[in-house]
Amino acid sequence: MTNQSARTPWWRDAVIYQIYPRSFADADGDGEGDLRGITDRLPYVKDLGVDAIWITPWYPSPMVDGGYDVSDYRDIHPSFGSLADATALIEAAHGHGLRIIIDLVANHTSDQHPWFRAALAAGRDSPERRRYVFRDGGGPDGSIPPNNWRSAFGEAAWTRVLEADGTPGQWYLHTFAPEQPDLNWENDEVRSEFDAILRFWLDRGVDGFRVDAVPAMAKRAGLPDADYDDNSLFAAAEWTDNPHWDVDEVHDILRGWRRLIEEYGAERMFVAEAVVNGPGRLARYVRPDELHTAFNFEYVHARWDAGQLLRIIDGTLAALGPIGAPPTWSLSSHDETRHLTRFGRPQAIGGHDPEGAATDLVLGARRARAALLLTLALPGGAYLYQGEELGLPEVEDLPVEVLQDPVFLRSRGERRGRDGCRVPLPWEGGAPPYGFSAAGTTTWLPQPVDWAALTVAAQERDPRSMLRFYREAIALRRKLDDLRGGDLTWLPSPDGALAFRRGQELVCVVNLGDEWIGIEGDVVLCSVRLDDARRLPPDATVWLHSP
Ligand code: GLC
């Protein structure tokens, strides 16, 4: 490995590239991406200059929720390949100097997992049912759900089963879709099974785990009703004092995992997906004896607004600094509207913004470049989502017949869901499938017909492309010690702008306002071409050497 191997541990300041395997590259020509496709394209990832890849779930799954419904934690989904392909991918990644993080979905299994099938067959009060959260319903005939909890995808978080004799029976809990029954983390068998799963993959060489839906794993004893005071679709919108989210007992599970992973040394890591109420709550997940890092959803969901970004960056550093946990920053993922599109909306809001709102993609692209330089200039780690380096927009006009996200299906079409950020990548050529699959293949989600200029091949030829800009920015971040190790100090800046120093000499200025602003120092990299090196236009970021 290059100079990052000298930095210990690597995950404190890594740039990590998220791969959604179904949409990255299709080597076997079935219209869905696969592990061989990833392995073949690792040189591309390496050239991007990142330190690691995170692969979203690759396990056998009925794919009700894009693979977050796992039916076997020790194998690979058949359309993605085999366990041998996974081992080959891990080795190849290491050969390229890339670390590899896989997804751990521990809050729930698929309803097709052998454990859940056994639980249904075994009936009430059985050890099989105690691995999940089964309860009797209320009312004379048990037809009222055990409590009022709501699922993240809408509707009740409980589904009633038919018992072996065909009569309506107990209810089981699912924080997400009914096909994703929640495991009971108070059960010793569940805990030891996941310890074994962690070891299975650690022994095969993975460098870390992205842990899905961490705050859902513990539930308050007695499963009391939640005190919802709005009609939010996602029940967990009320993050604190909620009996099914961010409950204290979750931290016992995390401490056990930390002890386990430390047996494999300080270079293996966890990153938590923990959407909680502010950085103070988040910090509890990354205490020294818990998970190493966590995603920063406040940053993902931020508007293009200097005041809000300043508050979020400052709040994150203030909460995580004292416990020694590195922050992380990202703009997109497989769950969010692509940020190029978000930033082109009039209000430029984050996350699941109003769909179909008028969008200026030229403005979005300009802000996306500026946001990248901000993100890469912050201390800690950064996550990139496949395709953002190509400047892909959200695909907002997928025909409804192809939509697969449970968000779409369970909201009865009210929300289109997350398929628009999961469209297969364009690699080369002038028409779909753009080298993602062999010519003539129908891809699992259709690609737009106007993506020819966005392919990797086209952007490699264009020195001003988004791809070339990403490569340059990531390479500089790797090279400049101030950017990887230095502290952050805020500098005075005009309204609507952010300015800070990293380490000794590197200054980052972000102009989110309407006025041009004066800058001082030698330009290292700028998100726009500067006609006048002393003035930064709106929606632009510059890195400066300014001793
Ligand atoms: C996480 C995943 C998301 C999935 C959910 C349920 O939020 O990122 O894609 O739907 O967990 O597993």
Side-chain angles (χ1 to χ4, degrees), residues 120-266:
L120 290 184
R124 65 179 68 237
D125 299 328
S126 59
E128 288 83 355
R129 284 212 176 167
R130 280 194 284 277
R131 294 168 180 153
Y132 292 90
V133 186
F134 278 86
R135 293 289 184 279
D136 292 327
D141 55 357
S143 63
I144 302 172
N147 66 27
N148 71 345
W149 295 0
R150 291 190 209 129
S151 117
F153 294 138
E155 303 171 336
W158 296 92
T159 291
R160 195 171 193 188
V161 303
L162 289 179
E163 300 298 353
D165 62 5
T167 58
Q170 287 196 296
W171 298 73
Y172 68 90
L173 179 68
H174 49 88
T175 300
F176 296 91
E179 295 86 353
Q180 294 168 296
D182 280 40
L183 287 160
N184 170 18
W185 274 89
E186 288 173 18
N187 181 283
D188 286 341
E189 241 187 304
V190 169
R191 290 187 182 230
S192 55
E193 172 67 357
F194 273 85
D195 283 355
I197 292 165
L198 287 170
R199 289 184 193 283
F200 179 88
W201 291 108
L202 288 166
D203 291 340
R204 274 163 185 74
V206 305
D207 299 285
F209 300 91
R210 175 266 190 193
V211 192
D212 186 56
V214 184
M217 290 169 62
K219 280 85 185 173
R220 191 168 312 147
L223 312 186
D225 273 354
D227 185 15
Y228 301 130
D229 58 16
D230 70 4
N231 282 322
S232 145
L233 196 53
F234 190 16
E238 290 156 64
W239 309 109
T240 35
D241 296 325
N242 180 314
H244 57 92
W245 198 264
D246 195 17
V247 170
D248 282 351
E249 282 69 20
V250 74
H251 299 286
D252 296 340
I253 306 168
L254 308 184
R255 286 189 196 98
W257 285 356
R258 180 67 177 249
R259 284 193 296 274
L260 185 156
I261 207 167
E262 297 229 323
E263 291 173 30
Y264 290 79

Side-chain angles (χ1 to χ4, degrees), residues 155-490:
E155 303 171 336
W158 296 92
T159 291
R160 195 171 193 188
V161 303
L162 289 179
E163 300 298 353
D165 62 5
T167 58
Q170 287 196 296
W171 298 73
Y172 68 90
L173 179 68
H174 49 88
T175 300
F176 296 91
E179 295 86 353
Q180 294 168 296
D182 280 40
L183 287 160
N184 170 18
W185 274 89
E186 288 173 18
N187 181 283
D188 286 341
E189 241 187 304
V190 169
R191 290 187 182 230
S192 55
E193 172 67 357
F194 273 85
D195 283 355
I197 292 165
L198 287 170
R199 289 184 193 283
F200 179 88
W201 291 108
L202 288 166
D203 291 340
R204 274 163 185 74
V206 305
D207 299 285
F209 300 91
R210 175 266 190 193
V211 192
D212 186 56
V214 184
M217 290 169 62
K219 280 85 185 173
R220 191 168 312 147
L223 312 186
D225 273 354
D227 185 15
Y228 301 130
D229 58 16
D230 70 4
N231 282 322
S232 145
L233 196 53
F234 190 16
E238 290 156 64
W239 309 109
T240 35
D241 296 325
N242 180 314
H244 57 92
W245 198 264
D246 195 17
V247 170
D248 282 351
E249 282 69 20
V250 74
H251 299 286
D252 296 340
I253 306 168
L254 308 184
R255 286 189 196 98
W257 285 356
R258 180 67 177 249
R259 284 193 296 274
L260 185 156
I261 207 167
E262 297 229 323
E263 291 173 30
Y264 290 79
E267 302 283 306
R268 313 278 189 121
M269 54 78 82
F270 289 110
V271 52
E273 188 211 22
V275 185
V276 290
N277 192 7
R281 297 296 295 184
L282 187 64
R284 296 157 54 89
Y285 288 77
V286 290
R287 290 178 283 202
D289 59 348
E290 298 196 33
L291 304 187
H292 305 74
T293 56
F295 293 117
N296 187 339
F297 283 96
E298 287 208 313
Y299 187 75
V300 181
H301 295 153
R303 292 192 313 278
W304 186 244
D305 175 273
Q308 194 194 30
L309 282 165
L310 176 85
R311 184 185 60 71
I312 291 170
I313 295 166
D314 232 11
T316 303
L317 298 176
L320 301 189
I323 52 173
T328 72
W329 316 94
S330 48
L331 298 163
S332 274
S333 78
H334 66 297
D335 288 332
E336 315 290 340
T337 304
R338 282 196 177 271
H339 66 267
L340 186 133
T341 296
R342 283 181 354 238
F343 288 151
R345 309 274 204 224
Q347 321 89 317
I349 64 169
H352 301 295
D353 61 353
E355 290 159 355
T359 309
D360 176 349
L361 291 181
V362 174
L363 176 65
R366 181 183 173 95
R367 288 178 172 166
R369 286 179 187 240
L372 177 72
L373 291 198
L374 167 61
T375 303
L376 293 181
L378 295 172
Y383 283 83
L384 311 176
Y385 174 51
Q386 70 178 39
E388 69 168 83
E389 78 280 14
L390 303 176
L392 297 189
E394 182 82 1
V395 181
E396 300 196 279
D397 57 358
L398 287 170
V400 288
E401 314 82 73
V402 305
L403 297 179
Q404 307 210 0
D405 187 358
V407 169
F408 171 72
L409 301 169
R410 295 187 58 77
S411 71
R412 299 202 177 81
E414 216 173 280
R415 295 194 294 162
R416 287 173 63 87
R418 301 162 294 180
D419 293 311
C421 67
R422 300 174 178 179
V423 171
L425 290 195
W427 291 93
E428 64 198 23
Y434 302 109
F436 169 79
S437 296
T441 312
T442 306
T443 54
W444 75 279
L445 288 175
Q447 299 158 304
V449 291
D450 61 355
W451 272 10
L454 295 177
T455 64
V456 171
Q459 298 202 34
E460 278 181 334
R461 291 190 295 267
D462 173 5
R464 303 194 54 200
S465 67
M466 187 69 93
L467 176 60
R468 298 274 290 264
F469 177 68
Y470 263 70
R471 285 185 184 156
E472 192 178 0
I474 297 166
L476 275 169
R477 173 183 152 112
R478 183 185 281 263
K479 198 170 101 189
L480 299 172
D481 282 341
D482 277 348
L483 275 186
R484 290 198 83 157
D487 288 339
L488 181 150
T489 318
W490 291 107

Side-chain angles (χ1 to χ4, degrees), residues 476-532:
L476 275 169
R477 173 183 152 112
R478 183 185 281 263
K479 198 170 101 189
L480 299 172
D481 282 341
D482 277 348
L483 275 186
R484 290 198 83 157
D487 288 339
L488 181 150
T489 318
W490 291 107
L491 301 173
S493 60
D495 272 357
L498 296 173
F500 57 88
R501 180 184 297 280
R502 284 294 307 283
Q504 298 301 309
E505 303 193 342
L506 203 285
V507 167
C508 176
V509 183
V510 192
N511 187 356
L512 304 101
D514 299 329
E515 309 283 330
W516 292 60
I517 54 180
I519 50 175
E520 278 169 35
D522 299 327
V523 174
V524 176
L525 184 62
C526 187
S527 64
V528 292
R529 200 190 307 208
L530 286 179
D531 296 328
D532 167 356

